[in-house]
Amino acid sequence: MSIPLHKKIREDLLQKIKSGEYAENDIIPTELELADIYGVSRPTIRQAVQSLVNDGYLEKRKKRGTVVTKPKFQQEFTHVIESFDSEMNRKGLAPKTKILAFNVVKANEDVAENLRLKKGEQVYKLIRLRYAEDKPVVLVTSYIPYRLFPNFQEIDFTTEKLYKALEEAGYPVSAVARKLEVIKSDETTSDLLDIEIDEPLFYFHTQGFAQDRVPVEYSISKYRGDLNYFVFELSQ
């Protein structure tokens, strides 16, 4: 079966992007120019270009044209219970974790509510900066009930997966609830994630539940808007 023209053109444009012929921030030729170069109609070019826009290789900008951008990482954790490391490895990307803080604190009102604890109860506060291919992708602050996991501070979370540690302690995460917002980065977050101040961030609140809806994790994750996009899968 022959490959559709728009897919052939997409692959040729992608090869030019990956080889550096069209470098990051370059403006590619217009639809009319590309139609002339490839000898096809503008709708065919439009399909090829839109596919690369959808995958994060190109971005359409008003008054400038279509610009070469950094490809975004597709994040599927909105509908899959999976660790960041496992997801990155599955996609062929090298994950890395930097621990910024790991200590025992008293739960504030928000944390206590999400973990169904009394305000002031002890919780672990674990702050991690997660990388993919040496790029900082997400800043995650996780809270875990201390009384359920009294030996957690012995674990090295630079290499150990949080969900694996919860499972080995007898509380595997079987369900999650997530809330998504979009916020702007502040000075601290922009410095850690290597972005400009006021850049958009995907801001997730996650509750992880073990059997019988026992909350064992409450996490706040700030994903770079320029490097990530999320897939939501619904079924009826």
Side-chain angles (χ1 to χ4, degrees):
M1 186 172 64
S2 61
I3 300 173
L5 274 175
H6 69 89
K7 289 189 176 180
K8 289 182 180 179
I9 294 167
R10 178 199 184 279
E11 290 307 309
D12 190 65
L13 289 172
L14 180 58
Q15 189 277 327
K16 286 179 167 63
I17 291 170
K18 289 185 173 181
S19 70
E21 185 174 338
Y22 293 148
E24 188 179 341
N25 293 320
D26 278 357
I27 300 171
I28 68 167
T30 64
E31 282 185 6
L32 193 60
E33 290 168 335
L34 287 171
D36 186 54
I37 290 169
Y38 289 102
V40 298
S41 66
R42 288 183 68 181
T44 299
I45 293 296
R46 195 170 297 125
Q47 273 187 288
V49 169
Q50 187 60 48
S51 175
L52 292 170
V53 169
N54 294 343
D55 288 345
Y57 290 99
L58 296 174
E59 184 176 301
K60 293 179 179 179
R61 296 182 184 170
K62 289 182 179 179
K63 300 181 181 179
R64 282 198 68 192
T66 304
V67 180
V68 178
T69 57
K70 295 177 184 175
K72 296 186 177 185
F73 301 119
Q74 176 180 307
Q75 303 287 353
E76 296 167 358
F77 93 124
T78 47
H79 66 272
V80 176
I81 300 175
E82 183 178 31
S83 73
F84 177 87
D85 283 4
S86 297
E87 184 172 357
M88 292 301 103
N89 283 324
R90 182 164 51 80
K91 296 178 187 300
L93 302 167
K96 186 175 72 174
T97 297
K98 183 178 180 180
I99 304 297
L100 302 183
F102 185 29
N103 46 39
V104 178
V105 300
K106 292 181 179 180
N108 62 23
E109 190 171 342
D110 180 54
V111 172
E113 181 181 347
N114 280 278
L115 289 176
R116 296 180 196 158
L117 303 173
K118 293 179 181 178
K119 183 179 177 182
E121 274 196 60
Q122 287 188 317
V123 293
Y124 293 104
K125 183 178 181 179
L126 173 62
I127 305 176
R128 294 168 293 169
L129 187 58
R130 317 301 297 271
Y131 293 78
E133 299 294 314
D134 294 320
K135 292 176 181 164
V137 173
V138 57
L139 178 65
V140 187
T141 302
S142 299
Y143 299 92
I144 304 104
Y146 179 85
R147 60 180 171 80
L148 295 181
F149 310 99
N151 300 318
F152 251 37
Q153 278 191 300
E154 299 172 7
I155 299 173
D156 180 7
F157 283 106
T158 57
T159 55
E160 185 71 41
K161 300 178 182 69
L162 175 59
Y163 278 19
K164 182 181 178 184
L166 294 171
E167 181 177 1
E168 290 178 346
Y171 291 90
V173 174
S174 57
V176 296
R178 291 192 170 103
K179 180 176 74 172
L180 170 62
E181 300 176 68
V182 177
I183 62 172
K184 292 182 179 180
S185 62
D186 57 19
E187 186 174 355
T188 300
T189 309
S190 64
D191 185 51
L192 290 170
L193 290 175
D194 193 25
I195 55 177
E196 297 293 327
I197 294 174
D198 289 335
E199 285 287 304
L201 298 171
F202 293 108
Y203 186 40
F204 281 94
H205 301 253
T206 299
Q207 288 175 286
F209 300 96
Q211 191 175 4
D212 298 325
R213 296 291 287 186
V214 175
V216 292
E217 170 222 12
Y218 172 53
S219 292
I220 300 166
S221 306
K222 297 175 181 178
Y223 283 83
R224 285 175 57 164
D226 64 329
L227 284 184
N228 298 281
Y229 68 98
F230 294 84
V231 175
F232 294 82
E233 188 172 295
L234 304 176
S235 59
Q236 190 171 355

